[in-house]
Amino acid sequence: MRNAHLRTWRTTGTTVWLAGLSSVLLTGCEAPLDLDAVRDQAGQAIKRTDFYQAMARNEEVVVLTGNNGVVLVSSDNGESWSRRTPTSESFLALDVCPDNSFIALTFDNKIWHGNANGDNWTAHSLPSQEQMMTAACAPDGNWWAAGAFTTIQGSTDQGETWTETSLNEDAILNNLQFIDADHAFITGEYGLVLKTTDGGENWDYAGYLPDEFYAHSSYFRSDNEGWVGGLNGFIYHTADGGENWEKSPTGINAPIFGFVAGPSGLYALADNATVLQQTGRSWQKISASDQPLYLRTGLILPDHRLLAAGGRGLLLNLETPVAHSASTD
């Protein structure tokens, strides 16, 4: 796989218009908890049929996307939400761009461009026949997507035209993250770890995860240090840009679905409404709930609270213990 040939070509896309720990648990399910105040705030925006997949924020709003075209927008850091459904297709990924606009990927291979308020969304068709699974907006404003058959697509003109590259491997890429304008990582099936050092012009193998570990989620702090998570509560850490990986103790068996980084440390989101915080080389559970619902996406709010979202309309607003701030130095 290390010597796979890359192929590149250009196509044209189309555009159409189409929108000491304390926690508060927000869920659309009827439960024996007193959530009247929460429901009054959120209205009918949050539903128990929602399965949230991705969250991002700019200077003005927080945007949360999920299945069946759901887009939730909050201008008060998650205290209340308004609901939009610009499409019936499920959202897979979401990112914020340098100009404060948003891009989001749907299951029908379209990139949706949302304005800075999150209330107007435009669809741009991706050229590949392969299923795209992840998307990111680079620091220079370029759009990127990656997915099946190790396919990577990029656009420098907001979805009007695309370049496409494949490593010709029958593997799915499902995590794409830009560290800076030049460096980005992609992780996926069969333990693949890919890297670019020239802003996406070229991609190459950075290394392989142990035992072909399938990374459900990944987060890179720099072009050297990163983490991946997946089944059985496994989290692996690299300090050399993906060449070597070391497993970190987590104390759980639940799948890891996401990472959230902030001033108070690094957090991992897992099944059973579980939140872990990095403590040195290991991880400590800081969430109180054990509901059989996954957490997949989140972010750190300006007041240092962690807002996380997952299945069945689950929203978790968690106070983060600053004393446990992560450090691997």
Side-chain angles (χ1 to χ4, degrees), residues 60-64 72-82:
E60 301 295 331
V61 297
V62 176
V63 174
L64 176 61
L72 299 183
V73 180
S74 175
S75 59
D76 53 14
N77 292 315
E79 292 295 323
S80 61
W81 298 87
S82 59

Side-chain angles (χ1 to χ4, degrees), residues 210-229:
D211 302 318
E212 296 189 340
F213 181 72
Y214 192 152
H216 288 325
S217 181
S218 62
Y219 167 73
F220 286 85
R221 177 178 289 165
S222 67
D223 60 349
N224 289 318
E225 187 173 31
W227 294 260
V228 300

